[in-house]
Amino acid sequence: MKSRRNFIKLSALGSAAVLTSSCISSEKDSKEETKIPKIVAKPIVISTWIHGMEANASAWEILKNGGNSLDAVEAGVRVTESDPENSSVGLGGLPDRDGFVTLDACIMDHENNCGAIGCIQDIENPISVARKVMEDTPHVMLVGDGAKQFAIEKGFEETNLLTENSKKAWEKWKEESKYQPIINSENHDTIGLLALDESGNLAGACTTSGMAYKLHGRVGDSPIIGAGLFVDNEVGAACATGVGEAVIRIAGSAIVVELMRNGMSPNDACKEAVNRIINKHKDLTNMQVGFIALNKFGETGGYSVYEGFNYAQYDKNSNQMIDAEFDRNWG
Ligand code: SD4
């Protein structure tokens, strides 16, 4: 109760801070308010995994010039989508078991507008298609052939997303064709990116080729608003990486945001969501899931089931990798 009260005070403080300056010192004004952050850090951008460094840099170019968080998150993850060396997102993503590269993505802004694309083929930047769904249609999500048709109508070019490397990997997998789409210590790389801009507005984007060698048509958490990504401009934003089915089961990113609304720090909220996943699954073998979160004050956090999850954070001081805390070791 106490922490919830503090968060409400924090919220009032935060909006004042957002309106006046990018760096506000908020001295404790009563003994009770021990949790108040001293600084409102903005702009700031965080994103999952090492490829987040490059994505952040692209987002930062927009944020540092006073650009908005929505443009920043889109520009950021487009870099990862267009990188053929990355085998879990966009071009070069590993295919499903039938050899089709199918992509999932979603985007959300500070007014709860959102757009999503599920299981789209032959389009390099699904995040931008998701943004078009958000801005140019009354819908939130388009999938499969309809999503591709919409993208082409909007001027996106068809691209073969199966690179030589991904094709080779799939052909090698086919030698055994073991249907084991798993997220282990090597196989995970979705990018989720969250930004808070100079005006104090939050946005988020999430994009992936999903689990390698999944069933054709499978859609994970990444394009599902509330699972792979959630943004509430009053509170904060969160996104997920890892086994999508587990994230969907607990409405992962929405839960992280609600926990922050109730007074938790981003780190504690991510930890609590991970604990929920742990408690709801009897078998945690290969069940890697990680969350990152960013609140209205620019505080960040991340937590995962297993060791090895990290995220990139770009703020006024630096662009750096941060190791997330975790519940357990792989071994
Ligand atoms: C999915 N959550 O499709 C994605 C995969 C992922 O890091 O995050 N990999 O289930």
Side-chain angles (χ1 to χ4, degrees):
M1 201 53 206
K2 184 174 165 186
S3 56
R4 179 170 165 73
R5 214 165 45 235
N6 281 341
F7 189 83
I8 292 165
K9 284 185 186 167
L10 256 161
S11 301
L13 176 72
S15 30
V18 159
L19 287 173
T20 50
S21 162
S22 64
C23 250
I24 299 264
S25 161
S26 61
E27 291 298 315
K28 280 194 283 174
D29 56 11
S30 87
K31 279 184 193 146
E32 198 193 20
E33 291 175 2
T34 48
K35 282 191 170 179
I36 290 183
K38 291 209 167 46
I39 301 251
V40 175
K42 59 189 173 69
I44 183 167
V45 53
I46 59 172
S47 56
T48 54
W49 306 111
I50 183 74
H51 49 221
M53 293 290 282
E54 262 190 276
N56 282 1
S58 171
W60 189 258
E61 282 304 302
I62 292 172
L63 294 172
K64 78 171 190 212
N65 296 319
N68 71 59
S69 52
L70 183 66
D71 290 339
V73 298
E74 181 188 8
V77 302
R78 276 178 64 96
V79 172
T80 324
E81 287 180 336
S82 294
D83 177 0
E85 300 304 318
N86 184 308
S87 61
S88 303
V89 183
L91 178 66
L94 289 167
D96 63 24
R97 69 174 190 177
D98 300 331
F100 300 110
V101 181
T102 68
L103 306 179
D104 297 337
C106 73
I107 192 161
M108 191 162 185
D109 76 6
H110 66 291
E111 293 179 318
N112 284 59
N113 297 308
C114 42
I117 288 293
C119 201
I120 197 170
Q121 292 182 51
D122 306 319
I123 302 290
E124 188 172 309
N125 296 114
I127 199 67
S128 297
V129 188
R131 184 166 176 177
K132 290 271 181 228
V133 173
M134 174 174 103
E135 291 180 339
D136 295 358
T137 82
H139 308 306
V140 167
M141 181 182 259
L142 295 179
V143 302
D145 290 346
K148 181 173 167 182
Q149 188 187 329
F150 171 78
I152 287 167
E153 278 167 21
K154 289 287 169 189
F156 290 83
E157 276 175 21
E158 274 191 76
T159 307
N160 175 15
L161 303 175
L162 190 65
T163 55
E164 273 312 304
N165 282 346
S166 301
K167 195 170 168 204
K168 266 191 215 144
W170 171 61
E171 274 161 358
K172 184 152 185 357
W173 171 81
K174 272 204 301 183
E175 287 167 15
E176 282 196 41
S177 280
K178 249 198 189 158
Y179 187 61
Q180 257 187 339
I182 53 169
I183 301 281
N184 57 24
S185 53
E186 290 99 44
N187 175 25
H188 50 66
D189 264 337
T190 292
I191 186 155
L193 187 146
L194 311 170
L196 177 67
D197 64 25
E198 195 67 52
S199 310
N201 286 325
L202 289 157
C206 186
T207 177
T208 189
S209 53
M211 280 183 186
Y213 320 128
K214 60 197 174 186
L215 281 177
H216 183 59
R218 180 261 187 192
V219 172
D221 61 314
S222 303
I224 297 182
I225 298 294
L229 173 72
F230 198 67
V231 177
D232 186 327
N233 208 43
E234 289 172 20
V235 177
C239 61
T241 177
V243 180
E245 284 75 2
V247 176
I248 294 169
R249 278 184 204 113
I250 65 146
S253 295
I255 285 295
V256 173
V257 172
E258 280 314 291
L259 291 166
M260 290 194 289
R261 191 193 307 279
N262 289 328
M264 279 193 184
S265 70
N267 217 60
D268 288 351
C270 292
K271 181 175 181 181
E272 175 60 26
V274 163
N275 279 338
R276 242 176 242 201
I277 286 181
I278 291 170
N279 292 336
K280 299 281 179 195
H281 293 86
K282 288 195 186 79
D283 183 4
L284 289 168
T285 315
N286 291 316
M287 184 67 83
Q288 175 64 315
V289 171
F291 293 100
I292 59 171
L294 167 65
N295 71 11
K296 272 298 263 188
F297 312 105
E299 291 182 296
T300 63
Y303 204 89
S304 55
V305 177
Y306 287 99
E307 64 183 318
F309 174 47
N310 53 16
Y311 59 99
Q313 175 165 322
Y314 206 146
D315 54 33
K316 286 212 164 98
N317 303 318
S318 61
N319 190 16
Q320 58 168 324
M321 291 305 296
I322 298 176
D323 288 331
E325 289 174 37
F326 53 89
D327 188 79
R328 59 193 65 199
N329 296 104
W330 284 104

